[in-house]
Amino acid sequence: MPQIGKKTLVIVTRRLPEAIEARMMELFDTRLNEDDHVFSRAELQDAMAEAEVLVPTVTDRIDSDLIQSSGKNLKLIASFGTGTDHIDITSAESQKILVTNTPGVLTEDTADMTMALILAVSRRLTEGERKIRAGNWEGWAPNALLGQRIWGKRLGIVGMGRIGQAVARRARGFGLTIHYHNRYRLPEGFESELGATYWESLDQMLARMDFISIHCPSTPATYHLLSARRLRLIQKGAYVINTSRGHVIDEAEMTRLLENGDLAGAGLDVYEHEPFINPKLLSFENTVLLPHIGSATLEGRIDMGEKVLINIQTFVDGHSPPDRVLPH
Ligand code: 8YV
């Protein structure tokens, strides 16, 4: 437990919203990252040797080696974000270091971005915009940039947690019929509210959908859940949308399928090797590629920061922080 009267040393790896940084300075002995550079491994190691609380983000890879070599002061990793695949939670647990995240506050923004990608890729929004910006638009034509209607099509949601459900509610309003695969079936009330169909077999669902959208977390169990074999089950005319994590899809195989015309398109906000993007994905007209901005709203970032503050303060006060993450 931190000593009474002495402020807890908190090291924050990236710039957070100013209001959050200011409050963090008031509450704790806080070290900020003024120029917002991504910490090198050595910098992370130094921070973890000294800090009592580390506030990392998705851009910090906190693996078992770093955790094993952290100082005895480090008691809490209060991550800024919901996904915790960048932190080895099992190692942290074995070192008695708590890990927290910021769930719930990104749900609606990420669901909005999913709908934006569904619409953008099927209605060729970014392709049309590129045409205008390149000065290549010669005016309206009956057959120009024809996309696919989404109304009446089938959406297969992989992972029906908070975000998957928020996507289902929106998609229903756009006339999509909702299908889902999840580790467990949701209560009947939910299924009837959304007219959602549960597929115990992911393979069977994939083969019958017009849009597939990924909403499960990245864990060892979901690594390449959309494997090469499963990707090949998807219909030629279908679109793949991913606002979760790149590791859930075998990106190399998805790229091959797009290249060969075996998928209609992909709307992606996340990638297997961020920030590296496969150059082939960049070269296709039928991909919409976003720079991991699913939750990037001012309100969302402030809510995430508030959650980080609450997790740290609760811990400092001697209680179990509300958003503790346990090993899978
Ligand atoms: C965050 C995310 O912006 O919270 C998550 O899991 O993927 C993003 O929306 C990022 O992780 C912040 O660390």
Side-chain angles (χ1 to χ4, degrees):
M1 238 353 82
Q3 282 169 247
I4 308 285
K6 178 183 158 287
K7 278 189 174 181
T8 302
L9 176 59
V10 177
I11 300 185
V12 186
T13 68
R14 299 298 300 269
R15 284 297 313 261
L16 302 183
E18 268 175 26
I20 300 299
E21 290 188 341
R23 187 67 186 134
M24 209 172 272
M25 292 293 287
E26 286 167 1
L27 290 171
F28 315 114
D29 175 11
T30 302
R31 270 192 229 155
L32 302 173
N33 174 358
E34 211 47 55
D35 65 7
D36 198 33
H37 68 282
V38 176
F39 272 23
S40 67
R41 196 174 167 81
E43 284 175 300
L44 263 182
Q45 198 160 20
D46 288 349
M48 289 170 71
E50 223 185 326
E52 295 171 271
V53 178
L54 182 77
V55 179
T57 74
V58 69
T59 54
D60 303 302
R61 186 131 303 278
I62 300 175
D63 58 21
S64 174
D65 286 350
L66 273 180
I67 288 171
Q68 302 299 332
S69 65
S70 64
K72 61 177 182 355
N73 293 340
L74 185 65
K75 294 285 178 286
L76 173 65
I77 299 175
S79 194
F80 182 86
T82 301
T84 47
D85 50 305
H86 56 295
I87 303 169
D88 189 325
I89 313 274
T90 308
S91 273
E93 179 92 349
S94 75
Q95 297 297 303
K96 303 210 167 11
I97 298 168
L98 300 189
V99 177
T100 57
N101 66 346
T102 63
V105 292
L106 323 175
T107 307
E108 306 304 331
D109 295 327
T110 309
D112 286 345
M113 195 57 91
T114 304
M115 287 313 301
L117 281 171
I118 289 175
L119 289 162
V121 71
S122 63
R123 298 298 302 275
R124 303 172 66 178
L125 299 195
T126 48
E127 198 183 336
E129 216 236 8
R130 278 195 294 277
K131 203 178 175 66
I132 289 192
R133 286 186 188 272
N136 292 335
W137 187 44
E138 286 166 1
W140 185 87
N143 290 318
L145 284 169
L146 300 185
Q148 294 284 332
R149 174 184 291 164
I150 71 167
W151 189 90
K153 297 280 167 61
R154 294 194 174 101
L155 169 65
I157 295 177
V158 180
M160 198 51 118
R162 275 185 292 258
I163 298 174
Q165 292 176 37
V167 169
R169 281 193 292 276
R170 284 162 175 73
R172 176 105 154 136
F174 279 88
L176 284 152
T177 53
I178 310 302
H179 298 253
Y180 74 100
H181 170 80
N182 198 44
R183 275 171 304 172
Y184 54 87
R185 188 168 180 167
L186 266 68
E188 209 188 302
F190 164 84
E191 287 187 5
S192 51
E193 179 202 330
L194 291 166
T197 303
Y198 176 62
W199 294 78
E200 196 178 340
S201 160
L202 176 58
D203 289 12
Q204 288 181 9
M205 182 178 88
L206 290 177
R208 289 162 177 84
M209 296 297 119
D210 302 300
F211 294 87
I212 311 285
S213 193
I214 308 299
H215 298 290
C216 56
S218 171
T219 67
T222 63
Y223 177 77
H224 282 192
L225 184 66
L226 263 63
S227 60
R229 180 189 68 76
R230 285 206 171 109
L231 284 165
R232 289 196 290 263
L233 298 174
I234 298 173
Q235 304 184 104
K236 244 179 149 77
Y239 299 89
V240 173
I241 310 295
N242 194 0
T243 52
S244 165
R245 283 290 183 272
H247 293 107
V248 180
I249 302 181
D250 180 338
E251 192 177 282
E253 180 63 14
M254 179 175 64
T255 305
R256 262 191 297 277
L257 293 172
L258 286 163
E259 191 170 28
N260 298 337
D262 289 326
L263 280 177
L268 307 172
D269 186 43
V270 290
Y271 307 88
E272 231 186 302
H273 307 289
E274 289 179 23
F276 169 80
I277 310 257
N278 184 328
K280 282 193 173 161
L281 287 177
L282 292 168
S283 72
F284 303 149
E285 287 289 13
N286 59 347
T287 51
V288 176
L289 307 173
L290 301 181
H292 199 147
I293 50 170
S295 68
T297 64
L298 189 55
E299 294 88 341
R301 292 284 183 258
I302 290 187
D303 290 349
M304 288 160 76
E306 286 288 341
K307 278 209 159 248
V308 170
L309 290 171
I310 290 166
N311 281 318
I312 301 174
Q313 185 63 57
T314 313
F315 168 76
V316 168
D317 289 344
H319 305 289
S320 179
D323 303 311
R324 185 167 173 202
V325 181
L326 296 169
H328 295 288

